[in-house]
Amino acid sequence: MSAYRLVVVTAGLSKPSSTRLLADRLAESTDRQLGVTGGAVDVTVIELRDLATDIAHDFTTGFPGAALREAVEAVTHADGLIAVTPIFTASYSGLFKSFFDVIDHDALAGKPVLIAATGGTPRHSLALEHAVRPLFAYLRSVVVPTAVYAATDDWGATGDGHTDSLPGRIDRAAGELAALVAGRGPAAVAEPVAVVPFAEQLAALRV
């Protein structure tokens, strides 16, 4: 059986960052719960802070760098996606939005996605519902019901995985993603499609 391809996109700007920490916790829980199904899991983490220059160049020149192309390919061919952003001005970060702007709009259609965010105060938790979830709904992704928001105070909380604490919400959301990914099974890597030049297509019509 092929390995499940789990891709984690994290838009944290500092190093280390709470955004990356949340992304890692979500990936670990999803990996663990997918492992129960008996399948292997291949986890790829994409740090958007490392791609900021490439993303800007792609907008201005239309030519993505090699690292950005690899990241886009990883997201496009993922069986499941975890997307984590810091919340700035009650919404996702500009870097987070810019990355998904360079991906083809059809690439995420039907793809299971877990959304999560970090912020300094619990008051910004609704940004996941009024900003991040609509973004992936527009891209026609299948977003899991539980969105995970981690405020600064959440990191000191403890939980047994069955409460509304941060650990509990992480496990619940990861379980929802794992169920969707396992239900679909690992996707086969598509073979390259031969492109027939338009002039040849027109010539064929004249025959």
Side-chain angles (χ1 to χ4, degrees):
M1 183 179 182
S2 301
Y4 294 109
R5 292 177 296 239
L6 180 65
V7 174
V8 184
V9 175
T10 171
L13 298 180
S14 59
K15 195 171 185 179
S17 74
S18 59
T19 304
R20 175 60 189 267
L21 178 59
L22 179 58
D24 287 344
R25 296 280 178 83
L26 289 165
E28 290 165 5
S29 184
T30 305
D31 186 352
R32 184 177 67 253
Q33 297 188 62
L34 269 174
V36 174
T37 68
V41 184
D42 181 11
V43 180
T44 299
V45 178
I46 298 171
E47 284 267 17
L48 295 187
R49 65 189 299 274
D50 298 332
L51 299 173
T53 301
D54 279 358
I55 292 171
H57 284 169
D58 184 64
F59 276 110
T60 56
T61 67
F63 296 100
L68 180 57
R69 286 198 304 272
E70 289 179 8
V72 170
E73 283 293 310
V75 170
T76 300
H77 295 298
D79 295 304
L81 176 66
I82 297 173
V84 191
T85 178
I87 297 300
F88 297 138
T89 320
S91 188
Y92 38 63
S93 72
L95 181 59
F96 182 84
K97 177 61 162 58
S98 295
F99 175 71
F100 287 102
D101 280 343
V102 305
I103 297 177
D104 186 273
H105 285 180
D106 293 327
L108 298 183
K111 193 180 301 294
V113 177
L114 190 167
I115 57 174
T118 57
T121 170
R123 290 178 296 177
H124 295 310
S125 62
L126 287 179
L128 276 166
E129 302 301 331
H130 70 63
V132 184
R133 191 179 294 274
L135 169 64
F136 288 97
Y138 174 77
L139 296 173
R140 293 179 290 132
S141 304
V142 180
V143 185
V144 304
T146 301
V148 181
Y149 179 83
T152 301
D153 291 344
D154 286 326
W155 294 106
T158 59
D160 57 6
H162 301 286
T163 70
D164 200 41
S165 66
L166 180 58
R169 285 181 280 128
I170 286 173
D171 282 343
R172 184 166 66 246
E176 292 166 356
L177 180 63
L180 284 176
V181 171
R184 289 161 53 97
V189 177
E191 294 294 328
V193 178
V195 178
V196 179
F198 185 58
E200 290 186 19
Q201 296 182 47
L202 286 177
L205 292 175
R206 298 191 188 102
V207 176

